[in-house]
Amino acid sequence: MGNKKKGAPLPASSGGLMRFFEDETKGFKVDPKIVISVPISLIVISWAIEIFLSP
């Protein structure tokens, strides 16, 4: 089993999806925690502004 090449083709059942996600692309890398927390915090802030500043 040690003779397997690193670039060996994937099984047909995976449909090449694993190969797609292994590729590195250029651009910004953002932590998933930030991607989730920023929209949630904007929603909470907008709700707080609406509750406390509406007449």
Side-chain angles (χ1 to χ4, degrees):
M1 291 257 166
N3 295 352
K4 289 188 176 183
K5 294 181 181 178
K6 188 174 184 178
L10 295 173
S13 64
S14 67
L17 292 175
M18 291 302 294
R19 182 105 24 206
F20 173 75
F21 287 115
E22 288 176 357
D23 291 341
E24 295 264 344
T25 59
K26 295 179 183 177
F28 297 107
K29 296 186 189 233
V30 181
D31 187 29
K33 293 176 187 174
I34 294 173
V35 172
I36 298 298
S37 63
V38 168
I40 291 174
S41 63
L42 289 174
I43 291 170
V44 169
I45 289 170
S46 67
W47 283 345
I49 289 172
E50 184 177 341
I51 290 171
F52 293 118
L53 296 181
S54 66

